[in-house]
Structures are given as C-alpha cells and as structure tokens.
Amino acid sequence: MVHALLFVLSLAGFVCLALAMERHQRDLCGHAFARRRSRQWRIAGWALLLLALATAVLAQGVGFGLASLSGHTSIAAGVVVLALMLRARQRP
C-alpha cells in the first residue's frame, strides 16, 4: 500500500510541476497562467514530492525508503513525460 501511495504522490507532484511551466501550460490549456498561479503549482508540486519523501522514510526507513522513492519518482516522471509527448502528438 505504501508503494501505491508513493507513486500517486510522486505522479501528482510531477503533474503540478509540469503545470507550473509556461510551455506545458500553453500546450495543455492553450494559454499561460498568471505568475501567481504558476507559483502555486510549483509550491504544490514540491510539497507533494516532500510529502512522498517523508512518507517513504517514515514507512520504510531511511535506506530502503530513499531507494524506493527514487524508483517511484523515476517512473512517475517518465509517465508525465510520456503523457506530455502523446498529448503534443495528438494536436494538429
């Protein structure tokens, strides 16, 4: 159950960080957000990643938790990148 939670937190964090970037905002929404909104997405993304870190360390210990989190964040980042690539290819 901890692995699913770590993956979901990591995935949500990277989605928020992607939405904080002007390029991805334009690609996904058609316009750039205000600076305040971008900052809020960035803060939310980092907060979710820090929450995932705390969850991993508390549930699995420092050694295994950090190794586990590394794997989950790598897979989550890959999923976000692939989703952004597929979205870009679908647009005419």
Side-chain angles (χ1 to χ4, degrees):
M1 191 67 182
V2 172
H3 293 289
L5 179 61
L6 291 177
F7 178 73
V8 168
L9 288 172
S10 299
L11 185 65
F14 282 117
V15 167
C16 289
L17 289 174
L19 287 172
M21 296 177 64
E22 186 175 328
R23 176 182 176 188
H24 300 310
Q25 293 168 2
R26 289 189 192 282
D27 289 345
L28 296 173
C29 301
H31 61 88
F33 300 152
R35 286 184 183 212
R36 182 173 185 225
R37 176 71 60 180
S38 294
R39 190 173 343 127
Q40 290 171 341
W41 281 114
R42 190 172 297 112
I43 290 168
W46 281 110
L48 287 166
L49 290 174
L50 287 173
L51 181 61
L53 171 66
T55 303
V57 170
L58 289 174
Q60 300 172 330
V62 175
F64 189 70
L66 291 176
S68 175
L69 182 66
S70 176
H72 289 292
T73 55
S74 297
I75 293 170
V79 168
V80 171
V81 167
L82 287 174
L84 289 171
M85 286 174 43
L86 289 173
R87 174 73 174 140
R89 289 186 182 188
Q90 288 179 349
R91 300 187 101 199

